[in-house]
Amino acid sequence: DAVVLAFVDEVIESVAVELAAQPADIGHLEALYRAHVQAFLKTKTAPPTQLTADRLLASARIVTSSPALMHTASQFRADAVNVALARRMGVAGDDRRLKLTAVVWGSIIMTAIGELGSHADWASVSVDDIVGRIEATYADFRAIIANAG
């Protein structure tokens, strides 16, 4: 588990930078959505010293290779994204609202990329494919909550 989380931390650091730059007047889930999409799209032109498309795709391939790894990666922890999210929300790192927001977003991400799993032809999967899955899954989520009450 620690090896997988260490591999994913590079992605998390990149997303945290983007999250900190999101406008304060948008919702927290929207900010997480935008931060992930922006961080992932930037990998396509990133220099080797930053998160590259190849490393992002390798992280996605590793995480989605087994349900146990997906579960581990989606668990709440005090990583860079959740530290930035807590700061954005103005709450402590153990606040239930922070955990709820992070877990909901983690479910969206894992649903988006989880369908790739070990069955994907990873040689043909691109950053745009992953971003497209995130966009579609987030749109589905928004439609569901629009009809929730």
mmCIF file of all heavy atoms in Angstrom, residues 58-87:
data_model
loop_
_atom_site.group_PDB
_atom_site.id
_atom_site.type_symbol
_atom_site.label_atom_id
_atom_site.label_comp_id
_atom_site.label_asym_id
_atom_site.label_seq_id
_atom_site.Cartn_x
_atom_site.Cartn_y
_atom_site.Cartn_z
ATOM 1 N N ALA A 58 0.748 5.946 -15.824
ATOM 2 C CA ALA A 58 1.284 4.815 -15.054
ATOM 3 C C ALA A 58 0.617 4.741 -13.685
ATOM 4 O O ALA A 58 0.269 3.652 -13.213
ATOM 5 C CB ALA A 58 2.797 4.947 -14.912
ATOM 6 N N SER A 59 0.421 5.890 -13.055
ATOM 7 C CA SER A 59 -0.263 5.917 -11.756
ATOM 8 C C SER A 59 -1.680 5.379 -11.890
ATOM 9 O O SER A 59 -2.119 4.564 -11.069
ATOM 10 C CB SER A 59 -0.312 7.344 -11.195
ATOM 11 O OG SER A 59 0.963 7.797 -10.872
ATOM 12 N N ALA A 60 -2.399 5.831 -12.906
ATOM 13 C CA ALA A 60 -3.773 5.365 -13.119
ATOM 14 C C ALA A 60 -3.800 3.865 -13.384
ATOM 15 O O ALA A 60 -4.655 3.140 -12.862
ATOM 16 C CB ALA A 60 -4.410 6.128 -14.276
ATOM 17 N N ARG A 61 -2.853 3.386 -14.176
ATOM 18 C CA ARG A 61 -2.789 1.951 -14.485
ATOM 19 C C ARG A 61 -2.539 1.132 -13.224
ATOM 20 O O ARG A 61 -3.201 0.113 -12.985
ATOM 21 C CB ARG A 61 -1.696 1.678 -15.520
ATOM 22 C CG ARG A 61 -1.590 0.227 -15.919
ATOM 23 C CD ARG A 61 -0.565 -0.013 -17.035
ATOM 24 N NE ARG A 61 0.656 0.740 -16.926
ATOM 25 C CZ ARG A 61 1.696 0.442 -16.124
ATOM 26 N NH1 ARG A 61 1.638 -0.608 -15.335
ATOM 27 N NH2 ARG A 61 2.777 1.191 -16.107
ATOM 28 N N ILE A 62 -1.623 1.594 -12.391
ATOM 29 C CA ILE A 62 -1.307 0.863 -11.162
ATOM 30 C C ILE A 62 -2.503 0.865 -10.216
ATOM 31 O O ILE A 62 -2.898 -0.177 -9.691
ATOM 32 C CB ILE A 62 -0.061 1.467 -10.485
ATOM 33 C CG1 ILE A 62 1.180 1.151 -11.319
ATOM 34 C CG2 ILE A 62 0.092 0.949 -9.061
ATOM 35 C CD1 ILE A 62 2.404 1.941 -10.921
ATOM 36 N N VAL A 63 -3.093 2.033 -9.996
ATOM 37 C CA VAL A 63 -4.213 2.139 -9.049
ATOM 38 C C VAL A 63 -5.399 1.297 -9.492
ATOM 39 O O VAL A 63 -6.043 0.642 -8.676
ATOM 40 C CB VAL A 63 -4.618 3.617 -8.846
ATOM 41 C CG1 VAL A 63 -5.943 3.730 -8.125
ATOM 42 C CG2 VAL A 63 -3.533 4.355 -8.079
ATOM 43 N N THR A 64 -5.671 1.282 -10.785
ATOM 44 C CA THR A 64 -6.856 0.565 -11.271
ATOM 45 C C THR A 64 -6.586 -0.920 -11.529
ATOM 46 O O THR A 64 -7.494 -1.637 -11.954
ATOM 47 C CB THR A 64 -7.414 1.208 -12.555
ATOM 48 O OG1 THR A 64 -6.421 1.155 -13.583
ATOM 49 C CG2 THR A 64 -7.855 2.631 -12.310
ATOM 50 N N SER A 65 -5.390 -1.373 -11.249
ATOM 51 C CA SER A 65 -5.062 -2.771 -11.534
ATOM 52 C C SER A 65 -5.726 -3.750 -10.577
ATOM 53 O O SER A 65 -5.830 -4.931 -10.884
ATOM 54 C CB SER A 65 -3.546 -2.984 -11.534
ATOM 55 O OG SER A 65 -3.013 -2.805 -10.235
ATOM 56 N N SER A 66 -6.187 -3.274 -9.414
ATOM 57 C CA SER A 66 -6.890 -4.172 -8.501
ATOM 58 C C SER A 66 -7.846 -3.389 -7.608
ATOM 59 O O SER A 66 -7.577 -2.228 -7.269
ATOM 60 C CB SER A 66 -5.899 -4.948 -7.629
ATOM 61 O OG SER A 66 -5.505 -4.197 -6.507
ATOM 62 N N PRO A 67 -8.954 -4.004 -7.236
ATOM 63 C CA PRO A 67 -9.896 -3.341 -6.333
ATOM 64 C C PRO A 67 -9.250 -2.932 -5.008
ATOM 65 O O PRO A 67 -9.567 -1.881 -4.454
ATOM 66 C CB PRO A 67 -10.990 -4.385 -6.115
ATOM 67 C CG PRO A 67 -10.939 -5.246 -7.337
ATOM 68 C CD PRO A 67 -9.476 -5.292 -7.721
ATOM 69 N N ALA A 68 -8.333 -3.731 -4.507
ATOM 70 C CA ALA A 68 -7.679 -3.405 -3.236
ATOM 71 C C ALA A 68 -6.851 -2.123 -3.358
ATOM 72 O O ALA A 68 -6.859 -1.277 -2.455
ATOM 73 C CB ALA A 68 -6.799 -4.558 -2.778
ATOM 74 N N LEU A 69 -6.154 -1.968 -4.469
ATOM 75 C CA LEU A 69 -5.364 -0.752 -4.677
ATOM 76 C C LEU A 69 -6.272 0.465 -4.863
ATOM 77 O O LEU A 69 -5.967 1.552 -4.372
ATOM 78 C CB LEU A 69 -4.430 -0.910 -5.880
ATOM 79 C CG LEU A 69 -3.308 -1.924 -5.718
ATOM 80 C CD1 LEU A 69 -2.513 -2.051 -7.008
ATOM 81 C CD2 LEU A 69 -2.400 -1.543 -4.560
ATOM 82 N N MET A 70 -7.382 0.279 -5.546
ATOM 83 C CA MET A 70 -8.332 1.386 -5.708
ATOM 84 C C MET A 70 -8.884 1.801 -4.346
ATOM 85 O O MET A 70 -9.015 2.992 -4.065
ATOM 86 C CB MET A 70 -9.464 0.998 -6.663
ATOM 87 C CG MET A 70 -9.012 0.951 -8.101
ATOM 88 S SD MET A 70 -10.338 0.576 -9.257
ATOM 89 C CE MET A 70 -11.435 1.937 -8.992
ATOM 90 N N HIS A 71 -9.187 0.822 -3.514
ATOM 91 C CA HIS A 71 -9.697 1.116 -2.182
ATOM 92 C C HIS A 71 -8.653 1.877 -1.370
ATOM 93 O O HIS A 71 -8.966 2.886 -0.730
ATOM 94 C CB HIS A 71 -10.097 -0.186 -1.483
ATOM 95 C CG HIS A 71 -10.592 0.018 -0.094
ATOM 96 N ND1 HIS A 71 -11.832 0.533 0.182
ATOM 97 C CD2 HIS A 71 -10.001 -0.200 1.108
ATOM 98 C CE1 HIS A 71 -11.983 0.628 1.498
ATOM 99 N NE2 HIS A 71 -10.884 0.182 2.078
ATOM 100 N N THR A 72 -7.430 1.436 -1.396
ATOM 101 C CA THR A 72 -6.350 2.100 -0.666
ATOM 102 C C THR A 72 -6.177 3.534 -1.137
ATOM 103 O O THR A 72 -6.065 4.461 -0.328
ATOM 104 C CB THR A 72 -5.023 1.327 -0.844
ATOM 105 O OG1 THR A 72 -5.185 0.035 -0.275
ATOM 106 C CG2 THR A 72 -3.870 2.047 -0.179
ATOM 107 N N ALA A 73 -6.167 3.734 -2.448
ATOM 108 C CA ALA A 73 -5.956 5.073 -3.003
ATOM 109 C C ALA A 73 -7.109 6.020 -2.700
ATOM 110 O O ALA A 73 -6.911 7.237 -2.650
ATOM 111 C CB ALA A 73 -5.732 4.981 -4.509
ATOM 112 N N SER A 74 -8.303 5.485 -2.484
ATOM 113 C CA SER A 74 -9.461 6.349 -2.257
ATOM 114 C C SER A 74 -9.729 6.637 -0.786
ATOM 115 O O SER A 74 -10.615 7.418 -0.460
ATOM 116 C CB SER A 74 -10.708 5.754 -2.914
ATOM 117 O OG SER A 74 -11.061 4.542 -2.291
ATOM 118 N N GLN A 75 -8.972 6.029 0.103
ATOM 119 C CA GLN A 75 -9.155 6.267 1.533
ATOM 120 C C GLN A 75 -8.725 7.687 1.896
ATOM 121 O O GLN A 75 -7.747 8.206 1.355
ATOM 122 C CB GLN A 75 -8.340 5.264 2.349
ATOM 123 C CG GLN A 75 -8.838 3.845 2.234
ATOM 124 C CD GLN A 75 -10.242 3.698 2.788
ATOM 125 O OE1 GLN A 75 -10.479 3.940 3.953
ATOM 126 N NE2 GLN A 75 -11.171 3.315 1.940
ATOM 127 N N PHE A 76 -9.430 8.285 2.847
ATOM 128 C CA PHE A 76 -9.072 9.630 3.299
ATOM 129 C C PHE A 76 -7.737 9.582 4.029
ATOM 130 O O PHE A 76 -7.502 8.719 4.864
ATOM 131 C CB PHE A 76 -10.136 10.197 4.246
ATOM 132 C CG PHE A 76 -9.782 11.562 4.741
ATOM 133 C CD1 PHE A 76 -10.058 12.675 3.972
ATOM 134 C CD2 PHE A 76 -9.139 11.738 5.956
ATOM 135 C CE1 PHE A 76 -9.711 13.944 4.401
ATOM 136 C CE2 PHE A 76 -8.789 12.999 6.406
ATOM 137 C CZ PHE A 76 -9.079 14.104 5.621
ATOM 138 N N ARG A 77 -6.854 10.501 3.671
ATOM 139 C CA ARG A 77 -5.596 10.678 4.390
ATOM 140 C C ARG A 77 -5.187 12.138 4.276
ATOM 141 O O ARG A 77 -5.691 12.864 3.426
ATOM 142 C CB ARG A 77 -4.507 9.731 3.886
ATOM 143 C CG ARG A 77 -4.131 9.902 2.434
ATOM 144 C CD ARG A 77 -3.206 8.774 1.964
ATOM 145 N NE ARG A 77 -2.849 8.951 0.570
ATOM 146 C CZ ARG A 77 -1.665 9.340 0.139
ATOM 147 N NH1 ARG A 77 -0.688 9.571 0.989
ATOM 148 N NH2 ARG A 77 -1.431 9.481 -1.143
ATOM 149 N N ALA A 78 -4.285 12.546 5.131
ATOM 150 C CA ALA A 78 -3.867 13.954 5.166
ATOM 151 C C ALA A 78 -2.811 14.208 4.099
ATOM 152 O O ALA A 78 -1.673 14.570 4.391
ATOM 153 C CB ALA A 78 -3.355 14.319 6.549
ATOM 154 N N ASP A 79 -3.195 14.027 2.830
ATOM 155 C CA ASP A 79 -2.262 14.274 1.739
ATOM 156 C C ASP A 79 -2.326 15.743 1.327
ATOM 157 O O ASP A 79 -3.088 16.529 1.898
ATOM 158 C CB ASP A 79 -2.532 13.329 0.561
ATOM 159 C CG ASP A 79 -3.931 13.484 -0.027
ATOM 160 O OD1 ASP A 79 -4.522 14.579 0.049
ATOM 161 O OD2 ASP A 79 -4.445 12.494 -0.573
ATOM 162 N N ALA A 80 -1.537 16.121 0.355
ATOM 163 C CA ALA A 80 -1.438 17.525 -0.047
ATOM 164 C C ALA A 80 -2.770 18.096 -0.535
ATOM 165 O O ALA A 80 -3.091 19.253 -0.260
ATOM 166 C CB ALA A 80 -0.365 17.691 -1.124
ATOM 167 N N VAL A 81 -3.562 17.298 -1.247
ATOM 168 C CA VAL A 81 -4.862 17.790 -1.721
ATOM 169 C C VAL A 81 -5.783 18.055 -0.532
ATOM 170 O O VAL A 81 -6.446 19.097 -0.475
ATOM 171 C CB VAL A 81 -5.517 16.805 -2.718
ATOM 172 C CG1 VAL A 81 -6.969 17.188 -2.992
ATOM 173 C CG2 VAL A 81 -4.740 16.775 -4.019
ATOM 174 N N ASN A 82 -5.819 17.153 0.417
ATOM 175 C CA ASN A 82 -6.719 17.338 1.555
ATOM 176 C C ASN A 82 -6.248 18.446 2.490
ATOM 177 O O ASN A 82 -7.078 19.112 3.107
ATOM 178 C CB ASN A 82 -6.942 16.015 2.276
ATOM 179 C CG ASN A 82 -7.790 15.082 1.436
ATOM 180 O OD1 ASN A 82 -8.653 15.528 0.681
ATOM 181 N ND2 ASN A 82 -7.536 13.796 1.540
ATOM 182 N N VAL A 83 -4.963 18.675 2.568
ATOM 183 C CA VAL A 83 -4.450 19.832 3.319
ATOM 184 C C VAL A 83 -4.896 21.118 2.630
ATOM 185 O O VAL A 83 -5.388 22.052 3.281
ATOM 186 C CB VAL A 83 -2.914 19.762 3.475
ATOM 187 C CG1 VAL A 83 -2.350 21.076 3.999
ATOM 188 C CG2 VAL A 83 -2.530 18.606 4.386
ATOM 189 N N ALA A 84 -4.762 21.173 1.307
ATOM 190 C CA ALA A 84 -5.206 22.357 0.553
ATOM 191 C C ALA A 84 -6.719 22.520 0.642
ATOM 192 O O ALA A 84 -7.227 23.642 0.743
ATOM 193 C CB ALA A 84 -4.763 22.244 -0.905
ATOM 194 N N LEU A 85 -7.451 21.411 0.616
ATOM 195 C CA LEU A 85 -8.908 21.468 0.722
ATOM 196 C C LEU A 85 -9.336 21.966 2.099
ATOM 197 O O LEU A 85 -10.240 22.799 2.211
ATOM 198 C CB LEU A 85 -9.516 20.094 0.421
ATOM 199 C CG LEU A 85 -11.034 19.996 0.432
ATOM 200 C CD1 LEU A 85 -11.662 20.957 -0.586
ATOM 201 C CD2 LEU A 85 -11.465 18.553 0.159
ATOM 202 N N ALA A 86 -8.684 21.497 3.150
ATOM 203 C CA ALA A 86 -8.999 21.958 4.506
ATOM 204 C C ALA A 86 -8.752 23.466 4.615
ATOM 205 O O ALA A 86 -9.573 24.196 5.182
ATOM 206 C CB ALA A 86 -8.153 21.212 5.540
ATOM 207 N N ARG A 87 -7.654 23.909 4.055
ATOM 208 C CA ARG A 87 -7.343 25.346 4.064
ATOM 209 C C ARG A 87 -8.435 26.115 3.317
ATOM 210 O O ARG A 87 -8.930 27.132 3.792
ATOM 211 C CB ARG A 87 -5.972 25.580 3.432
ATOM 212 C CG ARG A 87 -5.431 26.976 3.596
ATOM 213 C CD ARG A 87 -4.005 27.125 3.063
ATOM 214 N NE ARG A 87 -3.096 26.122 3.619
ATOM 215 C CZ ARG A 87 -2.466 25.196 2.890
ATOM 216 N NH1 ARG A 87 -2.623 25.134 1.579
ATOM 217 N NH2 ARG A 87 -1.660 24.319 3.462
#
